[in-house]
Amino acid sequence: KMDIINSAVNYFKGSYRELGKVSWPSKQEVVWLTSLVVIIIIIAALILALIDFGLTSLVNYLLGLSVTK
């Protein structure tokens, strides 16, 4: 049982040491990249919404369905 505990402790110690070697981004980089991701997601959502609207309109037209009364 102690082998399992020692293995777990060594694993977490090693993991902690590895975290010290990581090259972390600066706050400015994090803010910039997060903003970029949000903008790209919004653009992608708008494009998909337009495609969805266009295809829905096309199918309704081809089936003779009217959305206006």
Side-chain angles (χ1 to χ4, degrees):
K1 187 170 183 173
M2 288 304 280
D3 287 340
I4 294 172
I5 293 173
N6 285 335
S7 294
V9 167
N10 287 334
Y11 172 79
F12 287 110
K13 282 182 180 179
S15 297
Y16 185 75
R17 279 192 302 271
E18 287 298 318
L19 285 175
K21 299 176 185 178
V22 174
S23 174
W24 298 102
S26 67
K27 182 178 179 181
Q28 183 180 4
E29 288 174 316
V30 171
V31 170
W32 165 249
L33 293 174
T34 302
S35 301
L36 187 62
V37 168
V38 170
I39 290 168
I40 290 171
I41 289 171
I42 290 171
I43 291 170
L46 290 172
I47 290 170
L48 290 173
L50 287 172
I51 291 170
D52 179 53
F53 177 76
L55 290 175
T56 301
S57 297
L58 178 64
V59 169
N60 286 338
Y61 174 77
L62 292 175
L63 294 177
L65 301 175
S66 176
V67 289
T68 59
K69 294 184 177 182

